[in-house]
Amino acid sequence: LSLRPKTEKRAPFMQNSFTGTAVDLDAMPIQTCWPGDAAPLITWALVITRGLKQKRQNVGIYRMQKIGPNRLIMRWLAHRGGALDYQQWQQVHPQQPFPVTVAIGADPASLLAAVMPIPDNLGEFHFAGLLRQARTRLTPLGEAGLKVPTESEWVLEGHIHPNDTVGTLSPA
């Protein structure tokens, strides 16, 4: 219990904030890592979602491909936490955009926790605190109130739109 996440109101990444069409992913250091990659890819970002039936947030690592100045596509497997959260959302809110937050440049313990097979009753950020032996500092954002590591270098807030066949993440 002493290592549960700590919520903070402000984070350094909040100093520079852009919304809507002002979001410019070209300003970020997104790389084309390998010859033959379709486009620049964001890798090792924390994708944060919340299902309707769970109190916990889900944190996973999913690659995202840049397809425009403020649009990404993301692939997640149907049986993974983020996809399950999205499916629950669509059952209750059909045809409504699903809120998603992406934290880039988070601490190593949070990244490792996001890829570990952690039981559903223990959140990834709590597990990250156990790994580092210090509480994970989180900052809540946006309408959905999803919490991201306070030390993140970049944070993207957006939505997955149900009628978009490629699963595009667009800015909030």
Side-chain angles (χ1 to χ4, degrees):
L1 287 175
S2 65
L3 296 177
R4 71 184 182 281
K6 176 184 178 187
T7 301
E8 299 181 349
K9 293 180 181 179
R10 302 282 310 155
F13 64 79
M14 297 170 113
Q15 293 175 358
N16 298 307
S17 180
F18 304 94
T19 60
T21 58
V23 173
D24 183 9
L25 296 173
D26 290 329
M28 296 176 65
I30 303 172
Q31 303 178 60
T32 301
C33 299
W34 299 101
D37 276 350
L41 297 168
I42 296 175
T43 57
W44 287 99
L46 300 176
V47 177
I48 303 160
T49 61
R50 178 176 288 121
L52 297 175
K53 298 177 183 175
Q54 297 87 358
K55 291 182 181 180
R56 60 94 182 121
Q57 293 186 141
N58 181 71
V59 183
I61 302 283
Y62 309 106
R63 290 178 85 188
M64 291 164 278
Q65 178 183 328
K66 187 180 119 204
I67 61 170
N70 63 3
R71 292 183 59 155
L72 300 166
I73 57 175
M74 177 173 58
R75 179 176 180 259
W76 51 25
L77 301 174
H79 65 283
R80 297 289 186 195
L84 295 172
D85 288 349
Y86 173 74
Q87 291 167 17
Q88 287 176 9
W89 174 269
Q90 285 301 302
Q91 289 172 355
V92 177
H93 305 285
Q95 304 307 310
Q96 297 297 314
F98 176 63
V100 177
T101 300
V102 177
I104 301 168
D107 63 286
S110 293
L111 292 171
L112 184 58
V115 297
M116 299 292 294
I118 298 170
D120 237 11
N121 61 348
L122 178 66
E124 286 87 357
F125 292 133
H126 194 140
F127 187 74
L130 295 171
L131 289 174
R132 88 169 66 73
Q133 292 298 300
R135 295 171 75 176
T136 303
R137 296 172 32 230
L138 301 175
T139 302
L141 296 175
E143 294 174 21
L146 296 171
K147 296 178 181 179
V148 301
T150 301
E151 305 87 14
S152 299
E153 293 179 31
W154 299 82
V155 175
L156 305 173
E157 289 183 278
H159 294 92
I160 295 177
H161 299 273
N163 293 324
D164 194 338
T165 58
V166 293
T168 303
L169 175 67
S170 63

